[in-house]
Amino acid sequence: MNHEPIALSAALASFDALWSPRIVTRVNDYDVRIARVAGEHIWHVHDDTDEFFLVLDGELCISLREPAGERTVRLAQGAVFTVPRGTQHKPYAPAGAAILMFEPAGTPTVGDRHDEIPHHIDATTGHLLDS
């Protein structure tokens, strides 16, 4: 892991792949990941961990299936949101976005329970930024 300052704009400019997060640093046992996203991800759930989102650019929407029903949160640039553990969710960005996520190292991008994984989704635990 790099122990120098990281410019997120430069890090985002270093890759084009969508829905394929890069690990920019680690904090204790947590990955700080950035990703470019556009279109839809898949419905999935993380049974044992919350998932933190920060929108760096664009707008991210997250549909949630909660006990009270289904709802969607819209996150503009600079907004943060945490999906609680055990909550089915589906991120999407109709016009594209750049996001930062904070979650335990090794957390799969497609969660613990999910629908079929389409070809445009990278089922990964994150790629090192230099990869």
Side-chain angles (χ1 to χ4, degrees):
M1 222 18 56
N2 185 348
H3 295 286
E4 296 297 325
I6 298 167
L8 292 179
S9 58
L12 282 162
S14 72
F15 65 96
D16 292 325
L18 298 174
W19 300 111
S20 184
R22 300 303 192 263
I23 301 166
V24 293
T25 192
R26 288 204 169 101
V27 178
N28 298 315
D29 296 331
Y30 283 76
D31 287 341
V32 178
R33 302 175 186 178
I34 57 171
R36 295 183 169 285
V37 298
E40 295 189 0
H41 200 271
I42 59 169
W43 282 104
H44 66 284
V45 64
H46 302 281
D47 290 325
D48 299 318
T49 186
D50 301 333
E51 187 172 16
F52 172 88
F53 292 89
L54 163 64
V55 178
L56 301 170
D57 188 40
E59 180 182 71
L60 179 72
C61 301
I62 305 173
S63 294
L64 304 160
R65 290 180 177 155
E66 300 173 311
E70 196 170 302
R71 71 180 176 116
T72 298
V73 295
R74 296 187 186 286
L75 306 173
Q77 181 177 336
V80 300
F81 183 75
T82 300
V83 175
R85 71 190 70 201
T87 301
Q88 269 199 337
H89 59 287
K90 178 178 75 170
Y92 63 97
I99 61 174
L100 180 143
M101 296 159 291
F102 188 74
E103 53 199 347
T107 300
T109 57
V110 294
D112 304 317
R113 292 178 278 140
H114 51 76
D115 296 335
E116 187 174 319
I117 303 169
H119 70 279
H120 73 282
I121 303 296
D122 184 7
T124 181
T125 56
H127 303 284
L128 293 178
L129 185 58
D130 299 328
S131 309

